[in-house]
Amino acid sequence: MNDLIKYILTALLVLAAQILILNNVNIYGYGTPLLYIWLVIILPKEISPYLTLLVSFLIGGFMDVFCSTPGLHAFATTAAGLASIKTLPLFITNNDNINHNKFVPSIKTMGNNKFFNYTLLIVILHHILLFLMEAFSLEAFGTLLLRMVTSMIFTLILIIAIEYYKYKASEKRLALNLKNS
């Protein structure tokens, strides 16, 4: 299946899950997993920076429409897209055995530590911007910080779980292909 079609189907599935399920999950009254940021994290490196920013903005704008948050998600997600453009090269090197033209960030392509650190950076930036813009005040800073941290933790857990599942599934497919050859 074409990579673009797979990404679009993944995006539709993740956005539907975010809007219909995850937005209604409120862990301990504070944390809401924001899985949609994963769509920015896994954008292929081969696409232009302008397209990365546009896709990031559209993902955030889509969330704004369904969450009645005028521009908050679009702002935070576009900033995360910009951060991904600038920071992804720091996490991959020419020594890594990857095709830089077809590179998609994942546990499989980057390894556990690099992918986790890259994801952590993008998630932290996104959540800080989103929650600060939403609160637009530091009046209840303790509650704001608790909401940010719990949402970050649960978002990271979901992203890493999905990536680990994808990695194990690809290993199984590879083993089956080798067995059948």
Side-chain angles (χ1 to χ4, degrees):
M1 188 185 303
N2 185 345
D3 290 340
L4 177 63
I5 293 171
K6 277 201 295 193
Y7 184 82
I8 291 170
L9 291 174
T10 301
L12 291 174
L13 182 66
V14 168
L15 290 170
Q18 182 69 55
I19 291 164
L20 299 173
I21 301 166
L22 296 175
N23 280 354
N24 297 314
V25 174
N26 203 338
I27 302 159
Y28 299 117
Y30 294 103
T32 301
L34 301 174
L35 180 62
Y36 72 92
I37 192 62
W38 178 59
L39 297 171
V40 174
I41 291 168
I42 63 168
L43 276 171
K45 184 178 182 256
E46 70 186 85
I47 68 173
S48 76
Y50 300 112
L51 189 55
T52 298
L53 292 176
L54 178 62
V55 170
S56 299
F57 175 78
L58 291 174
I59 290 167
F62 188 83
M63 288 302 301
D64 283 329
V65 167
F66 287 95
C67 297
S68 300
T69 52
L72 299 182
H73 291 277
F75 171 74
T77 308
T78 305
L82 180 61
S84 75
I85 294 167
K86 297 296 184 185
T87 60
L88 183 59
L90 301 174
F91 293 97
I92 56 175
T93 62
N94 290 333
N95 297 346
D96 295 335
N97 291 328
I98 57 171
N99 181 353
H100 286 276
N101 294 330
K102 290 282 194 180
F103 182 78
V104 176
S106 68
I107 286 177
K108 182 179 180 179
T109 59
M110 296 174 74
N112 289 333
N113 290 338
K114 287 181 182 180
F115 182 76
F116 179 77
N117 291 333
Y118 169 65
T119 301
L120 180 65
L121 179 72
I122 301 301
V123 168
I124 287 173
L125 173 75
H126 173 265
H127 281 56
I128 287 173
L129 291 174
L130 179 66
F131 283 96
L132 282 177
M133 291 291 291
E134 183 182 55
F136 209 68
S137 166
L138 296 178
E139 191 172 300
F141 184 73
T143 303
L144 176 65
L145 189 61
L146 186 60
R147 286 182 60 220
M148 274 193 278
V149 170
T150 55
S151 290
M152 281 183 220
I153 289 169
F154 292 114
T155 300
L156 284 168
I157 288 170
L158 271 178
I159 291 172
I160 298 302
I162 290 169
E163 281 294 325
Y164 186 73
Y165 174 78
K166 281 178 41 187
Y167 177 69
K168 287 298 182 184
S170 72
E171 278 187 340
K172 281 185 180 179
R173 277 193 306 273
L174 181 62
L176 284 174
N177 288 342
L178 290 175
K179 185 179 177 182
N180 292 335
S181 295

